[in-house]
């Protein structure tokens, strides 16, 4: 990482509008693999990585569409990345795929399905590929990361990365995060750990990571479970060998074409039950409650919740609105309806999991047992 903060980066940092950073010397797209992925270089002794760009501000704000004419798929992504972090070419051959170009709030289940299927095809299905890097806005990154963790079918590293500061800010974190993400993706020690989130020198499991602060660099934390590893001078170090989180469920999405709608409702004082009925009548096939404490809702809302479970057989998962903890089954059980405690899953991860369970045709009871796997009690 010694020379990444070049003069041009500093120049870019001092101007208000996006700046076109100079293209790395001699960048040509002259190698295309059997999946149609174009590489900016092909040095057969280096690992091959594909960067899947979803949008969000991460790097190379400058690389304008005008510079991409004549390049094949995803070259915008790759050229922007290589402009910002030419060091990646010393450790990998890189191809790029532009999956979407939206801020992370606009990532949809359809985009996630497309992304996961492509990773399964061009990374898992190709022995010459070492791993995937996914660039993503940070706001909903934990949802996409959890989706990929649940749906990518091989143990090759899938690293999700973003930036908290715009590329024009002083000490922009995008270039450094990108280099770290590629470094983690090419490291054989990163295999069989599920999807990984890399930002701010830390390596975390997608299963537990959550964004904790709306603004600051050190926002991504697995609150209780801790990081898997760290990068020091761009060298990854894992604290423990590869393990799978307790209760993790993997899905085969090869024949899934859409994810049913699951809504999240937030618990608060004076909570009314009409929001629940509105969600159901608007087409929600599952509901997640960001409950007060361990899944709690108002008495009137709880009656309505039981009414919806019993009348429509709609699964309702009660999670927590606190930043960490779990919802044990004993805190939500009743004799009049089948409640589902979320266990350790946050509301946003419960929503992704419930959507995948519904999309793959699980019964109400199967859904209940799936959540039970992540509960202590
Ligand atoms: C790609 O182009 C570079 C620069 O012209 C050249 O050095 C390299 O050998 C080419 N690689 C392939 C696989 O054609
Ligand atoms: C290819 O990569 C190897 C391993 O990093 C390096 O030693 C070699 O110089 C590279 N070859 C070229 C042509 O860059
Ligand atoms: C990278 O891809 C090339 C071309 O498919 C292949 O020859 C090479 O073995 C791959 N590198 C690794 C480390 O698998
Ligand atoms: C790539 O590695 C070579 C040899 O270690 C080094 O001289 C060069 O500066 C590196 N390039 C980048 C962009 O890091
Ligand atoms: C929903 O709330 C309304 C207004 O507070 C109340 O009249 C109604 O009985 C509640 N429905 C259920 C099923 O509790």
């Amino acid at each position: 990482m010694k020379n990444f903060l070049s003069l041009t980066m500093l120049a870019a940092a001092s101007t208000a509008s996006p700046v076109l950073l100079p293209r790395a010397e001699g960048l040509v797209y002259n190698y295309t693999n059997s999946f149609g992925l174009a590489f900016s270089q092909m040095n057969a002794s280096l690992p091959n990585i594909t960067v899947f760009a979803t949008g969000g501000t991460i790097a190379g704000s400058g690389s304008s569409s005008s510079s991409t004419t004549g390049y094949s798929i995803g070259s915008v992504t790759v050229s922007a990345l290589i402009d910002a972090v030419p060091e990646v070419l010393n450790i990998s051959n890189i191809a790029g795929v532009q999956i979407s170009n939206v801020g992370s709030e606009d990532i949809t289940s359809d985009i996630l399905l497309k992304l996961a299927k492509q990773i399964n095809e061009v990374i898992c299905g190709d022995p010459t590929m070492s791993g995937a890097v996914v660039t993503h806005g940070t706001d909903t990154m934990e949802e996409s990361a959890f989706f990929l963790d649940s749906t990518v079918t091989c143990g090759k590293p899938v690293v999700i990365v973003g930036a908290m500061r715009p590329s024009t800010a002083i000490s922009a974190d995008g270039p450094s995060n990108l280099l770290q993400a590629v470094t983690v993706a090419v490291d054989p020690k990163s295999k069989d750990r599920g999807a990984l989130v890399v930002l701010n020198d830390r390596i975390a499991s997608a299963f537990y990571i959550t964004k904790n602060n709306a603004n600051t660099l050190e926002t991504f934390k697995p609150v209780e479970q801790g990081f898997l590893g760290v990068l020091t001078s761009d060298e990854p170090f894992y604290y423990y060998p590869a393990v799978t989180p307790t209760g993790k469920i993997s899905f085969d999405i090869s024949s899934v074409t859409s994810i049913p709608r699951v809504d999240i409702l937030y618990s608060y004082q004076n909570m009314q039950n009409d929001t629940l009925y509105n969600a159901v009548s608007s087409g929600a096939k599952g509901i997640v409650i960001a409950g007060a404490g361990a899944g709690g809702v108002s008495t009137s809302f709880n009656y309505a919740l039981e009414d919806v479970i019993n009348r429509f057989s709609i699964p309702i998962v009660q999670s927590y609105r606190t930043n960490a903890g779990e919802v044990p089954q004993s805190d939500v059980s009743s004799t009049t309806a089948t409640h589902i405690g979320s266990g350790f899953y946050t509301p946003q991860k419960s929503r992704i999991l419930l959507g995948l369970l519904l999309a793959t045709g699980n019964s109400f009871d199967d859904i209940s047992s799936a959540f039970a796997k992540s509960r202590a009690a």
Side-chain angles (χ1 to χ4, degrees), residues 333-352:
S333 284
S334 89
T335 51
T336 42
T338 308
H339 296 243
I340 303 172
S342 74
F344 289 95
Y345 295 112
T346 61
Q348 54 275 32
K349 292 191 181 180
S350 298
R351 189 190 74 90
I352 299 284

Side-chain angles (χ1 to χ4, degrees), residues 4 6 12 22 38 78 84 88 96 99 143 150 183 226 242 257 293 297 321 333 342 353 376:
F4 107 73
S6 63
V78 181
V88 293
I99 285 284
E143 293 166 56
S150 308
T183 306
T257 53
V297 292
R321 68 176 201 182
S333 284
S342 74
L353 179 59

Side-chain angles (χ1 to χ4, degrees), residues 297-314:
V297 292
S298 68
T299 304
S300 133
F301 193 92
N302 197 54
Y303 284 132
L305 189 154
E306 300 202 336
D307 175 45
V308 165
I309 296 168
N310 291 333
R311 232 165 8 112
F312 306 109
S313 262
I314 287 184

Side-chain angles (χ1 to χ4, degrees), residues 195-236:
L196 301 170
V197 170
V198 170
L199 272 97
N200 200 39
D201 304 338
R202 305 310 198 296
I203 310 167
S205 158
F207 195 83
Y208 285 124
I209 195 78
T210 183
K211 189 173 185 179
N212 285 273
N213 186 298
N215 320 102
T216 59
L217 281 189
E218 79 287 14
T219 172
F220 280 91
K221 288 189 186 102
V223 181
E224 287 289 323
Q225 298 82 6
F227 290 104
L228 300 183
V230 68
L231 290 111
T232 307
S233 300
D234 206 37
E235 280 299 323

Side-chain angles (χ1 to χ4, degrees), residues 31 33 42-48 93 127-130:
Y31 182 88
N33 77 4
M42 182 44 70
N43 176 339
S45 51
L46 291 176
N48 305 303
N93 305 307
T128 70
M129 295 299 305
S130 293

Side-chain angles (χ1 to χ4, degrees), residues 316-369:
I316 300 188
V317 174
Q318 289 170 257
S319 183
Y320 47 86
R321 68 176 201 182
T322 53
N323 202 25
E326 80 154 312
V327 177
Q329 187 61 19
S330 53
D331 278 36
V332 296
S333 284
S334 89
T335 51
T336 42
T338 308
H339 296 243
I340 303 172
S342 74
F344 289 95
Y345 295 112
T346 61
Q348 54 275 32
K349 292 191 181 180
S350 298
R351 189 190 74 90
I352 299 284
L353 179 59
L354 184 50
L356 284 166
L357 287 162
L358 289 166
T360 48
N362 288 276
S363 68
F364 196 104
D365 284 348
D366 293 341
I367 290 170
S368 193
S369 346

